[in-house]
Amino acid sequence: MSKKALIAMSGGVDSSVAALIMKNNQYECIGATMILADEKIMHSDAACCNEENISDAKKVCERLGMEHFVYDFSSDFQTEVIDRFVCAYKCGETPNPCVDCNRFIKWGLLFEKCEELGCEKIVTGHYAQVVYDKDTEKWLLKKGLDHSKDQSYVLYSLTQKQLEKISLPLGSMSKDEVRNIAEESGFVNSHKKDSQDICFVPDGDYAKFIEDYTKETFPQGDYVDKSGNFLGKHQGIIRYTRGQRKGLGIALGKRTFVLDVNVNENKVVLGENEDLFSKELIAEDINLISIDKIIDGMKVKAKIRYNHTEADASVYYIDDNSFKVVFDEPQRAITKGQAVVLYDGDTVIGGGKIVKY
């Protein structure tokens, strides 16, 4: 058995079944579990430092006859994911830390371990597909066959060098199929629930996490309307994101939403639902996968957040690190800090970070 694969083992059912599939495909598999959280910073039950998950990953590796390593990436995770997350909220943005985790940790640090161990492939349990296009001589990232579980959105930063070494065995499967395989294989985690929240904020209280992490207090400021008229007091800018309706603590006699977070003036702009719709955005820090350069006016499907249904749009070149997207129909609550990902059918064209709408 000459082929070797490094499997990112989270302790969950998806990565366990991915390992089994690679074993059945005659790969010599090595399990790698990442410690991402410093216990001095995180909650003890955070998914990324949960001893139960590490133990479950080890048990599955033992069952499959795989060597198992545990890598402590907590320092890098703090710098590349948590610090970026905190900085974004302090700047009035709404980040997606899973994008940064995939970019800098899974396909950065773990990719390096893959090469150090002499593995041909690095494997995860993501629901997406990697295929080689002979016509363009490019590796392509495609949606998972089960669109309800598709995770291609958070993988848009992958490069050709990375895609060449990546295997995503679950891309053509449904979640039910994966759970059935895990149960039939007697995996200890076959019925484990999927994680829902951001792994280092398991209770979902982002503002409290940021205050505890930074040891900072974020002062009250003014709620204002679109014209700048005073409406009331907000409880600190990190508690608000564009499109938010709940938790505003203000009654204006009508449904009210956050339209913008003005960090410089410490103001939160409120308005009505129809005020949230816009047709354009600008993205920076872009990565292109299926093409080398944006062609002005090219038709795409664009997705502005993980749970958003992609919409028809045209994209325009600004420079090698930014593009503009113009939607056919206005989209609700385009938000700075989120990623916009462009698709051609099921193929990821590329994406970038939204900086303006």
Side-chain angles (χ1 to χ4, degrees), residues 267-287:
K267 293 180 180 179
V268 175
V269 183
L270 303 181
E272 299 183 42
N273 187 57
E274 53 263 35
D275 298 322
L276 286 167
F277 287 82
S278 50
K279 289 192 69 171
E280 298 184 3
L281 65 81
I282 292 176
E284 294 181 352
D285 192 19
I286 70 173
N287 181 63

Side-chain angles (χ1 to χ4, degrees), residues 1-5 22 25-29 118-121:
M1 190 182 293
S2 59
K3 301 183 296 183
K4 292 175 68 177
M22 295 303 288
N25 286 336
Q26 305 305 307
Y27 276 87
E28 176 189 347
C29 294
C119 295
E120 284 83 3
K121 292 292 182 180

